[in-house]
Amino acid sequence: MKKLFLLIGFLLCSTPLVFGQYTDYNLVKEVQVKNKGVVVSAFPLASEVGAKILRQGGNAFDASIATQFALAVVYPQAGNIGGGGFMVATTEEGKKFTIDFRETAPLKSHKDMYLDAERNANTDLSQYGSLAAGVPGAVAGLFEMHQYAKLPMTQLIQPAIDLAEKGYAITQAQADLFNTYKDDFLRLNKHSIPFVKNLAWQADDILVQQDLAHTLKQIQQKGLKGFYRGKTANLIVKEMKRGNGIISLADLRQYKVKVRAALIFDYKGHEVVTMPLPSSGGILLAQMLQMTNLMGLEDKQLNSPEAVQPMVEAERRAYADRAEYMGDPDFIKDQTQKLISKSYLKQRFANYNPDKATPSSAVGDIIIPQKEKKETTHISVLDKEGNAVSVTTTLNGNFGSKVMVSGAGFLLNNEMDDFSVKPGVPNMYGAIGGKANAIAPKKRMLSSMTPTILLKDNQPFMVVGTPGGTTIPTSVFQVIVDIIDFGTDVNTAVNAPKFHQQWLPEYILVEEDFPHYTIKTLEKKGYTFKKTAKIGRTEVILVDKDGKYHAVADGRGDDSVGVE
Ligand code: GLY
């Protein structure tokens, strides 16, 4: 695999994918282009599939569907058909809407299902194995999106089938992941799975997924019934029996996506179109942007102490509200309008002290190390007609529950851990929740995914999103502030060191290269810091005033831009 960083203004020619294994592909980190659509995703082969679909006459919905199917093959740590997610779209005709294809709790679930006889939470069960899986929504979400697409679904699935059948060359990062999770795969699967082999994986080894290809063909031939009924559904239920899981045929038959009105608010003349509950992402984004707006950030510098302090304090207050008020709006009182109102946020930020860190105990009644790596994946697409699709999809942890459905070749999510398994017990992201996010049959678990589109004068201005668990809203927040308030270019906004505060734990998580001066200055005010390797992998498309698209794929991973 060749690496081409900062390939500005260069149109990637179509990868020669027709015969044999997919071994020759490029990482394209940045593109500026006019009158052509762009796709940004976590893996070059998937972005190139989306771009190819645009060249075949598809629109942003077509490209996004094909890219998601391809990610389920070439980015198996998070791309999926056994998980769920959210899509936010704005169309050239001015329609703005979201599709919620979040997983649901199975009919046999109950609020104490992960508590032992002493009522201690067993988070191993909510994170590993079949019992950790929610009812998958991804395939239903893709079919819901398809009504806005132009090409037949059969055509959009075919590239994923080819990739699974013929195989593709994995990257070093993927080889490392397969090796890291080998023991989990062996422990949690009775059958052999394609991610496990005797020798250690290396970059450029070929991964072939015949069972997955077969399942994708079922979906191609039978539509939704190819997943939620018949052979695939039976294989899922058989897997449940083997691993003490509880998803039933009735769960699969009854799964429904929800088309929800987008959460829309103004930020400095930009119309921010984002995801409402059951993702906390949109509310948190609105709260953080509006709280920092009370201070004014325009005269401050990216990642300076003067900018980071109010942003951290906005993050702290927003995440305290997440723990208390947010959950599936079909099950709880939806308090969104209050939580994002100017008067509420003014009062929420009133105890901000520029001289001193606010203790988290002062903004909410009170994480603790993360056991698991967060994994999710984001796709930003903008076609030349101006249809924008921002979609974030997840298995939750890396490779989800680590359980592959025997004979069907796809991984099941471990999304049940996004519920509050017991009030006050942190999930794998250290997030704490209470009643609002307690488990109930058919309920959707609270998410942090923040697929977002910004419009200016009713035209797309930015398409943005990222993986990263609870760090998702703070990364999206920072990219928007970097571009709009600090006036950075897109590449800087995407690749600048990120920081994250989520109420609890008290510390600020920062990337290794976060400015030392800012850390030292804020430590004197009582802030504490913890370093982490990477926060998020943000995929951004920005439209400049001449109508040129600037697409940037995050430098932290194998993320890549595809061009029509
Ligand atoms: N599973 C990560 C999220 O939904 O936020």
Side-chain angles (χ1 to χ4, degrees), residues 443-463:
K443 189 173 175 184
R444 284 151 146 88
M445 52 296 279
L446 184 63
S447 172
S448 300
M449 292 187 276
T450 317
T452 299
I453 298 166
L454 274 69
L455 304 174
K456 202 173 178 184
D457 303 325
N458 294 317
Q459 298 301 317
F461 171 72
M462 192 191 304
V463 187

Side-chain angles (χ1 to χ4, degrees), residues 261-369:
L263 176 60
I264 300 180
F265 60 93
D266 175 79
Y267 187 65
K268 301 191 172 176
H270 303 83
E271 193 179 6
V272 182
V273 183
T274 186
M275 195 65 215
L277 291 174
S279 183
S280 61
I283 300 176
L284 295 178
L285 184 62
Q287 291 190 306
M288 293 183 294
L289 284 170
Q290 296 188 92
M291 275 191 263
T292 43
N293 202 16
L294 293 167
M295 304 276 308
L297 289 170
E298 315 76 35
D299 57 339
K300 301 185 171 57
Q301 300 286 319
L302 167 71
N303 284 343
S304 64
E306 298 74 29
V308 171
Q309 188 185 3
M311 291 172 80
V312 158
E313 293 300 349
E315 292 175 4
R316 189 193 312 273
R317 286 155 179 80
Y319 278 80
D321 283 357
R322 181 192 196 275
E324 176 143 11
Y325 300 112
M326 300 183 209
D328 183 341
D330 298 337
F331 285 75
I332 60 159
K333 184 167 172 236
D334 183 349
Q335 307 212 44
T336 303
Q337 288 319 316
K338 172 192 135 182
L339 293 173
I340 66 169
S341 70
K342 285 206 165 58
S343 55
Y344 173 77
L345 293 170
K346 198 166 167 201
Q347 168 243 311
R348 198 76 175 104
F349 212 58
N351 63 349
Y352 172 70
N353 180 348
D355 300 324
K356 222 166 119 203
T358 308
S360 286
S361 57
V363 299
D365 299 328
I366 306 247
I367 290 188
I368 300 157

